[in-house]
Every structure is written in C-alpha cells, then in structure tokens.
Amino acid sequence: MASYPVSASNNSKQCSRAASYSVYLGDLHTGTMTRTEAWQGQSAVITSNSHAAILGIATQYQQRAELTWSNTEQAWLTTQFQQQVSGFRSRDMHASFSNNGFDSQVKLDGKTTSYHSTHIPLRDVDTLAIQIRELVLQGQQQFSLIRQASDGIEPYQYQVKAPITTQLAPWGELQLIPVEQTGAEDITYYFAPSLDHQLAQARYHGFILQGLIQLESYHSTCKPVSTFLG
C-alpha cells in the first residue's frame, strides 16, 4: 500500500476547506454547524462549532482537533482534541493520544482517565469522518473504527451502500455515497463525489427522535482527489 493517503496530495502545501450545515431534529430546524479544515501537507487542524436548541435548551458545541497521517497505521489519526459544550450535556474535555492512537488520556471537567484499544486506533469524531472518507476513496466496503467518547470508547461498524441521487440546494442533483454506521450510535453518512467526496448529509437514527445535518455551503482551496490520483 502507498505510504501516503488517497485523500491528500503528496506535497506540503497549505490549503483549507470550510463547510456550513443546517441541523434538524425531526422536521424542525434546530440550529447550525460550521466546520473548517486547515491543512499543512498530511496534517490538519479541524475546528467545529454548532449552535442548537434541543428540548428547549440552547446548546453550544466547540471542538478543535489535530490529526495527522500515520505511515505505520496507514490511516488518519488524532493527536489531540479539545471540546467544550454548554447547555445540554455540558462538559469541558481535552484528550491526547499516543502509541499510534491506541492509548488516550482524557481530562473531563478536571478528572483525568486513561483508555486503551487493543486492535483499532482511537479517534475523535472529526478524524473519524476524515478516516471514513479515506476508506470510501480506497474502495473499502466494510470496516470498523473506534471513537473516543467523553466517558469511554465506542466501537462502530460501517457498511458502504450503493450510491443514491438526491436534490440538494444550491447544487441541484447530487450523487451521494451512503455509509451506514452501527454501534452505540446508528448514523448514515452521505459523501458527495462531485464535492470532492465531502460530507453532504448525516442522518442520526434514534429510537424516538431522528436527526439530520445537511450541507448548505462549501468552499475549498485544496486539490480535488481526481487531480492527483494515479
């Protein structure tokens, strides 16, 4: 296997991606989310911010994650991330990773806990999305990943489904690749090949409530995958 990722050009140039999403709970528009990726070659800083009103409680979420490509694991790995949530399920969290992502140290509201994975590196939610995209680009159909949650580690299984076509403003008709996640949280991710395989939608399949985030705008200065594959 190549010593560099399919999803990033093999150079050290800087580039960035910025996306904004609408957040829905059932049929109700409950908030917004923005996500920026600042790339330096095969490393990145990802910043996510969201504002939502859930069950009448205003919630603000902020996260800053640092990730890099590991030639040892042939995968994107989180090096550290910071997360702050106010309102519903408020928390202040900082996590750092070592041993190629198999060990983590999480400081949650002042209390520090260590975690270890025996077979799959631990990742934050943003690096998880980057790694899912990477595996889709590689043509993988089934795979497993583990997320570092605030109070434990959550294993997930993934199944890539046949592409679908949908209407999504302002782009019109888009082909999307669904990736179904099962485990502690059941989510279907939808990646858009014509938007450089970026995340266009994500559907949360809860027992009672159904959630959705949907892409509203996207801007990139990074090279599309098609310009450097081969």
Side-chain angles (χ1 to χ4, degrees), residues 95-189:
S96 58
F97 298 79
S98 58
N99 188 26
N100 287 312
F102 287 89
D103 293 313
S104 67
Q105 189 175 69
V106 176
K107 186 176 182 179
L108 177 64
D109 297 328
K111 179 182 178 181
T112 301
T113 308
S114 297
Y115 297 92
H116 173 72
S117 174
T118 59
H119 60 297
I120 300 175
L122 304 167
R123 296 176 173 88
D124 76 286
V125 65
D126 285 320
T127 306
L128 204 74
I130 294 289
Q131 182 62 18
I132 295 170
R133 175 177 178 262
E134 174 71 26
L135 294 171
V136 169
L137 287 167
Q138 291 178 9
Q140 301 288 331
Q141 296 298 307
Q142 295 183 34
F143 48 91
S144 299
L145 299 171
I146 299 180
R147 182 175 77 93
Q148 176 65 65
S150 59
D151 57 356
I153 58 178
E154 297 179 349
Y156 295 111
Q157 293 73 48
Y158 297 87
Q159 178 75 51
V160 180
K161 298 297 185 178
I164 63 171
T165 301
T166 191
Q167 293 286 331
L168 188 63
W171 299 279
E173 188 173 274
L174 282 181
Q175 183 188 72
L176 302 179
I177 300 174
V179 182
E180 294 183 354
Q181 170 188 293
T182 56
E185 293 181 331
D186 292 349
I187 300 173
T188 303
Y189 300 90

Side-chain angles (χ1 to χ4, degrees), residues 7-8 13-21 33-49 63-67 76 124-134 137 191 195-200 215 217-223 225:
S7 60
K13 292 184 178 179
Q14 295 180 343
C15 70
S16 63
R17 297 187 178 101
S20 62
Y21 297 84
M33 183 179 81
T34 61
R35 187 171 183 274
T36 61
E37 303 176 7
W39 288 89
Q40 176 69 66
Q42 295 177 13
S43 298
V45 174
I46 301 181
T47 305
S48 299
N49 292 276
Q63 177 167 296
R64 181 185 187 275
E66 298 180 14
L67 63 95
W76 295 107
D124 76 286
V125 65
D126 285 320
T127 306
L128 204 74
I130 294 289
Q131 182 62 18
I132 295 170
R133 175 177 178 262
E134 174 71 26
L137 287 167
F191 296 89
L195 298 176
D196 196 24
H197 287 77
Q198 295 304 304
L199 183 66
L215 187 66
S217 66
Y218 173 67
H219 175 73
S220 174
T221 64
C222 298
K223 292 181 181 179
V225 171

